Amino acid sequence: MQTRRQFLFTLIAGLFVSGTEASLKSFQPSDYVDISNKLSSLVTNKNSALFIGKAYQSLPPQKTTDIPQEIFSLLQRINLTQKEFIKLEKPLVLQKIKNAIEQDFHTGNVELVNGWLLSKTEVKLCHVLSLIWAT
Amino acid sequence: MLSNSFSIEEKSIVEADICIVGAGCAGITLATELNHSTLKVILLESGSLEYDDKTQSLYEGENISINPFKLENTRLRYFGGSTNHWGGMCHPLDETDFLAREDIPYPGWPIRLNDLIPYYHRAQSICQLGPFVYDDENYWRQQINFSPLPISGNLLETAFFQYSPPTRFGEVYLEALKKSTNVDVILNANVLELETSNDANNITQVRVANLNGKIFFVKAKKFVLSAGGLETPRLLLLSNKVQKNGLGNQYDLLGRYYMDHLSAWGGSLQFITDQSNFPWYFKIRNIVKNLGNMEVGALLTPTADLMKKEGLTNFRILLLPTEEERGIDSAKLITHELTSGHIPDNFGGHLKNVLSELDSVANVAYKSLFHTNNDLFEIHKKNDSTAITKVNLDLNLEQLPNRESRVSLSTDRDIFDQNRIKLDWRTSEADNKTARRALEIFAMECGKYNLGRVYIPDTINEQNIAFGISSHHMGATRMASSASEGVVDENCRVHGIGNLFIASSSVFPTAGWANPTLTITALSVRLADHLKSIFS
């Protein structure tokens, strides 16, 4: 059972990745592994991320389960390319994510997930992770 | 002087300059303000000095509202009225509450905040409060080292409320009224009817009965109804011998527009940042030692711009401590009250808080006793150094005036064979909208400034929100400058009746977010001055 506290840990621990002009087709298997590993390393509470990600997945309308597509979408939100994301140091990635989350709240890019009003960036992060960990 | 209806002769007539019906906050304030004047005043109280079931049962009624609460549970019928159980939270109405609002299709008050300010000042001491300073952030910065929540202030702003002890009007003002030579308090005196002249332009006398069946009459030059927000319209509706729809009801407004403050448990806020930087928002009672131990708290309300821009009614969000923090606060309160020689109000509730969080309370006590930072007991919730503090959100909002929300007479009858009250309290889609937006806006602000994340319960998104009650009975004899828009005028005189006044929250045409007692008191002081000026 997920507690609210655990749930929030994920959000605070904050998140991840990147890309602007990268295309899905440019995804190489090695990039995918690197990105997935780095994304996972950014989150301190796996259960919370899974909880949010799965909850989001179950909400209408139907969500894609295409991991590369979701990673690409996430990287776009934080304005990083795949390579930038891989190269960038963890604190800088976290700062990028934090900025994107705050911007979401300023612009109304929010999502209600199981009662929690969350930024679309943090929801997307959890969704990506839940998909990655499910494979 | 204090007397009892049992000692009054059957069918006798008691005479006075002013007859006040109902000894709650409004009636006692009026009587106290008129004490030592040259006017002979009679204050009629249905109950005695103590609660009794038989008298209280007169408050029973029919409730066909969306929330079928028991009417007799929301008010008290003995000397002091509902101040015998009020919580003491005080704040004046906001300036915007008095104004006509574009998105609210009803006129505002015929008076303005400035008209009430002098009376609010006087009401402060009557309610045993501190200075009349509320939303001046700089003042509180100096007095209590206040730190505001890190939000922008464009949408939500901080309001400060003061706690009355709470003043039990029946206890605090009894002795002065007992000693009075011009005010006579008559207990066990139930007003059954206001009798009028043939043209119904004046009240001639009131018919009064006690539980033994004895009837007597009070004749006066002026009458004031101060029987509470439900009983006051009931008495006007019952007084229908000449005006068949009841007194002051030429335009079918009497009993309509009934409002309460809508209560919704609005979820919770999980802090990301350190909540200890702004404790004033979520402590039960903050005691300000350098202001005579007055108690204050802080909450969030919408800015006037936000209300105007989005067409929202007023609201307030109170951040309530979690059970753990409640236990510690309750322990402090109990200690403070007991060492002051008082038994705290809601002692059982506070004790429950303490018992349910014994570990936390014991740790605080231990640290205080031994001047240590080490906990006596290990509390699992605090094991993690990154633990986040949670507060519950208590959302309370102004109800949009609704013509279909009304008080009328039931076919059921009480022991005096009088029609009981029937309440059909209704909320509207506008109320749902305000509740949802209030929480969304708060959640967005918390996200923008990285304060935390907000949980919004599903109940807020239901088509018809099941609002809870606040037992603030307002609006059923609303104030307006013309009879076609309200029951009483700007001096609280019933339109069309020269000598009948109302002192009650029933005259509020809009409710604001603030609890009503301070405003009822201020209006009562103002009415007392008005009555004195008429007689002089």
Side-chain angles (χ1 to χ4, degrees):
Chain A
M1 190 67 181
Q2 189 70 48
T3 67
R4 288 178 185 171
R5 190 179 305 270
Q6 287 170 329
F7 170 85
L8 255 289
F9 283 155
T10 302
L11 306 180
I12 302 154
L15 331 171
F16 55 110
V17 203
S18 90
T20 47
E21 294 166 2
S23 76
L24 287 173
K25 288 178 184 172
S26 69
F27 259 85
Q28 298 300 314
S30 59
D31 288 348
Y32 174 78
V33 171
D34 286 346
I35 290 171
S36 296
N37 288 341
K38 190 158 185 180
L39 277 174
S40 297
S41 78
L42 294 173
V43 173
T44 58
N45 190 316
K46 187 174 174 178
N47 288 338
S48 295
L50 270 173
F51 174 78
I52 301 163
K54 285 181 179 175
Y56 173 72
Q57 179 71 39
S58 67
L59 291 174
Q62 194 170 2
K63 310 291 187 305
T64 180
T65 53
D66 184 324
I67 297 173
Q69 186 181 323
E70 280 297 87
I71 288 176
F72 175 68
S73 166
L74 176 63
L75 295 181
Q76 276 193 312
R77 295 198 73 86
I78 57 174
N79 206 21
L80 286 176
T81 65
Q82 297 158 41
K83 285 186 180 164
E84 284 170 340
F85 176 74
I86 292 166
K87 283 180 188 169
L88 209 55
E89 287 183 12
K90 203 161 133 180
L92 295 174
V93 175
L94 286 170
Q95 189 57 49
K96 278 269 188 190
I97 292 165
K98 186 173 174 251
N99 293 345
I101 289 171
E102 285 180 13
Q103 187 61 23
D104 280 350
F105 281 110
H106 278 281
T107 54
N109 276 315
V110 292
E111 192 95 39
L112 200 62
V113 181
N114 275 26
W116 292 92
L117 194 82
L118 305 172
S119 106
K120 285 193 174 174
T121 301
E122 60 197 358
V123 172
K124 183 70 82 179
L125 167 64
C126 295
H127 187 227
V128 170
L129 287 173
S130 70
L131 294 174
I132 290 170
W133 291 331
T135 59
Chain B
M1 193 171 11
L2 183 66
S3 55
N4 199 309
S5 71
F6 298 122
S7 59
I8 295 175
E9 279 187 35
E10 171 80 13
K11 294 192 178 166
S12 62
I13 295 173
V14 182
E15 296 199 40
D17 292 312
I18 298 173
C19 172
I20 303 167
V21 179
C25 149
I28 289 176
T29 298
L30 271 162
T32 304
E33 289 292 309
L34 294 168
N35 193 8
H36 306 303
S37 70
T38 55
L39 300 169
K40 183 172 186 215
V41 178
I42 288 185
L43 173 57
L44 299 171
E45 168 51 44
S46 165
S48 61
L49 294 180
E50 302 288 336
Y51 174 93
D52 79 88
D53 285 334
K54 200 169 178 186
T55 301
Q56 184 67 21
S57 71
L58 292 166
Y59 269 160
E60 289 172 7
E62 186 183 353
N63 185 354
I64 59 169
S65 312
I66 42 169
N67 184 332
F69 61 91
K70 286 187 180 296
L71 297 176
E72 68 273 23
N73 289 352
T74 62
R75 47 207 175 126
L76 287 171
R77 196 167 171 130
Y78 67 102
F79 191 71
S82 296
T83 66
N84 288 301
H85 69 178
W86 74 306
M89 192 175 170
C90 288
H91 189 282
L93 291 172
D94 292 336
E95 195 168 359
T96 50
D97 296 329
F98 291 86
L99 307 177
R101 280 174 268 174
E102 224 170 72
D103 294 288
I104 296 182
Y106 308 103
W109 293 57
I111 57 175
R112 294 289 176 260
L113 175 61
N114 275 343
D115 297 319
L116 267 192
I117 292 284
Y119 305 101
Y120 271 130
H121 277 274
R122 287 160 65 183
Q124 287 288 115
S125 61
I126 294 169
C127 294
Q128 299 175 295
L129 298 162
F132 185 68
V133 180
Y134 281 89
D135 300 336
D136 182 345
E137 237 178 75
N138 288 331
Y139 177 83
W140 295 111
R141 269 185 222 275
Q142 289 166 12
Q143 295 295 339
I144 58 176
N145 198 23
F146 168 78
S147 301
L149 280 173
I151 57 174
S152 73
N154 293 329
L155 302 175
L156 300 173
E157 58 193 1
T158 297
F160 297 85
F161 58 91
Q162 295 185 26
Y163 272 112
S164 167
T167 305
R168 306 292 178 215
F169 281 60
E171 295 172 14
V172 173
Y173 299 107
L174 177 62
E175 278 310 306
L177 293 177
K178 265 185 182 174
K179 289 175 187 163
S180 175
T181 54
N182 71 305
V183 178
D184 186 6
V185 179
I186 305 178
L187 301 173
N188 300 298
N190 297 282
V191 172
L192 304 183
E193 185 187 5
L194 312 176
E195 297 183 357
T196 69
S197 54
N198 289 336
D199 57 8
N201 285 341
N202 274 292
I203 306 300
T204 52
Q205 61 184 10
V206 291
R207 185 161 56 94
V208 191
N210 64 28
L211 290 174
N212 290 350
K214 183 188 284 179
I215 298 282
F216 66 100
F217 300 90
V218 177
K219 277 185 187 294
K221 292 171 186 156
K222 307 288 176 195
F223 293 84
V224 182
L225 290 183
S226 52
L230 289 172
E231 202 65 4
T232 294
R234 179 188 177 218
L235 277 172
L236 292 171
L237 288 163
L238 284 169
S239 304
N240 57 4
K241 274 191 189 142
V242 178
Q243 290 191 346
K244 297 302 177 190
N245 295 325
L247 298 175
N249 200 18
Q250 306 92 309
Y251 291 89
D252 189 22
L253 292 169
L254 175 61
R256 292 189 180 274
Y257 299 101
Y258 171 82
M259 305 175 286
D260 196 349
H261 284 121
L262 307 178
S263 173
W265 283 97
S268 58
L269 162 65
Q270 198 99 36
F271 284 108
I272 293 173
T273 50
D274 183 1
Q275 46 78 19
S276 64
N277 291 329
F278 23 83
W280 296 97
Y281 289 88
F282 49 86
K283 289 290 178 193
I284 294 176
R285 284 166 189 266
N286 299 288
I287 297 169
V288 187
K289 287 186 179 165
N290 57 341
L291 285 175
N293 281 343
M294 68 178 285
E295 295 174 330
V296 298
L299 44 73
L300 293 169
T301 62
T303 60
D305 283 349
L306 173 65
M307 288 167 61
K308 190 174 178 186
K309 189 179 164 193
E310 297 209 18
L312 304 177
T313 53
N314 216 337
F315 61 83
R316 59 109 169 124
I317 298 173
L318 191 58
L319 310 183
L320 291 178
T322 58
E323 282 180 12
E324 181 182 306
E325 285 149 348
R326 271 206 295 270
I328 293 166
D329 278 355
S330 288
K332 286 178 181 171
L333 182 77
I334 290 170
T335 307
H336 174 77
E337 290 288 302
L338 290 179
T339 51
S340 309
H342 304 116
I343 295 174
D345 295 313
N346 190 20
F347 181 67
H350 288 299
L351 198 58
K352 187 180 163 199
N353 290 342
V354 173
L355 292 174
S356 64
E357 286 297 335
L358 265 182
D359 283 0
S360 305
V361 175
N363 278 338
V364 171
Y366 174 82
K367 287 176 181 176
S368 168
L369 276 174
F370 300 105
H371 303 286
T372 173
N373 286 324
N374 299 321
D375 285 345
L376 178 62
F377 302 105
E378 186 179 88
I379 303 169
H380 65 91
K381 290 177 189 171
K382 298 220 166 165
N383 281 349
D384 193 317
S385 59
T386 58
I388 301 159
T389 304
K390 188 186 88 171
V391 290
N392 294 320
L393 306 179
D394 177 15
L395 174 65
N396 206 265
L397 49 128
E398 174 185 32
Q399 177 176 358
L400 187 78
N402 178 354
R403 184 179 161 80
E404 302 310 314
S405 178
R406 68 185 299 194
V407 173
S408 59
L409 296 179
S410 167
T411 52
D412 296 343
R413 289 176 178 262
D414 65 16
I415 51 176
F416 295 114
D417 200 30
Q418 300 268 90
N419 297 82
R420 289 191 183 277
I421 203 166
K422 179 160 93 175
L423 179 67
D424 184 2
W425 174 47
R426 297 188 192 188
T427 56
S428 64
E429 181 49 35
D431 302 318
N432 297 335
K433 175 188 161 186
T434 295
R436 290 178 193 127
R437 282 298 290 148
L439 287 178
E440 281 169 11
I441 290 163
F442 178 65
M444 298 280 278
E445 290 292 281
C446 289
K448 279 180 201 173
Y449 301 98
N450 210 29
L451 189 62
R453 295 292 181 271
V454 170
Y455 174 78
I456 300 174
D458 289 344
T459 49
I460 288 289
N461 291 313
E462 285 170 2
Q463 192 174 355
N464 293 308
I465 300 173
F467 289 109
I469 58 168
S470 300
S471 304
H472 302 156
H473 310 134
M474 301 172 284
T477 65
R478 64 202 322 261
M479 184 194 287
S481 52
S482 76
S484 62
E485 292 178 323
V487 175
V488 301
D489 68 12
E490 59 272 23
N491 289 315
C492 296
R493 184 180 63 83
V494 175
H495 283 293
I497 301 179
N499 65 343
L500 178 60
F501 298 82
I502 294 178
S504 162
S505 52
S506 65
V507 305
F508 293 11
T510 59
W513 67 263
N515 291 17
T517 300
L518 184 65
T519 302
I520 297 170
T521 308
L523 282 169
S524 303
V525 174
R526 182 171 174 267
L527 178 55
D529 278 10
H530 180 66
L531 290 170
K532 282 184 203 167
S533 73
I534 290 174
F535 279 97
S536 67

